[in-house]
Amino acid sequence: QVQLVESGGGLVQAGGSLRLSCAASGSIISINSMGWYRQAPGKQRELVASITGGGVTNYGDSVKGRCTISRDNAKNTVYVQLNSLKPEDTAVYYCNADLVTPMTMMRYDYWGQGTQVTVSS
C-alpha cells in the first residue's frame, strides 16, 4: 500500500505565503516525478508544480514566479512554497507521485486526499 500524506493547507491572507508538504510511504521501489495539482470549484484540476527525481522542475502558468518546488529523495517528500497568494489560488491541492511498487513493477500515478487552501482578500 502506498500513502501520500499531505500537510500545510489552511486559511491564508492575500499576499501571504504557505508551504505544502507531501510524504510518500509504503512499499515503493522508486519514485519518478512528484508534484502538486489543484482544483478550484467548477474548474478542472491543474498543475501547480512538479519535480523529477533528478530535480527538473515544471510550473503551472498561474503560479510561475510565485512558486518553488523542492524534494527530499531520502525522505520521499516533496515541498511546494507559494508566495504572494491571491484569492484565485483558493483550491484543494493534491499531491501526486509517479512511482513503482513491488506489486506492479510498473509506473502508476498515486494521489493524496487533498488539502484545502483558502486565500482571503
Side-chain angles (χ1 to χ4, degrees), residues 27-119:
S27 187
I28 299 170
I29 291 178
S30 63
I31 301 178
N32 300 293
S33 64
M34 297 185 78
W36 289 90
Y37 289 73
R38 68 186 185 185
Q39 188 165 20
K43 294 188 177 181
Q44 289 189 334
R45 190 172 295 191
E46 64 173 2
L47 172 71
V48 176
S50 65
I51 184 168
T52 67
V56 177
T57 58
N58 186 31
Y59 294 97
D61 288 341
S62 60
V63 300
K64 278 181 182 175
R66 305 188 290 124
C67 180
T68 302
I69 191 168
S70 59
R71 177 172 166 172
D72 185 334
N73 290 330
K75 296 182 179 179
N76 289 342
T77 299
V78 63
Y79 309 93
V80 68
Q81 174 83 25
L82 278 169
N83 301 317
S84 302
L85 284 162
K86 308 172 185 179
E88 49 264 44
D89 292 317
T90 296
V92 178
Y93 285 68
Y94 295 93
C95 178
N96 169 266
D98 172 10
L99 55 84
V100 179
T101 65
M103 182 170 291
T104 66
M105 296 304 292
M106 295 177 64
R107 293 171 58 174
Y108 281 106
D109 271 338
Y110 289 81
W111 294 89
Q113 290 188 329
T115 184
Q116 177 70 45
V117 171
T118 302
V119 182

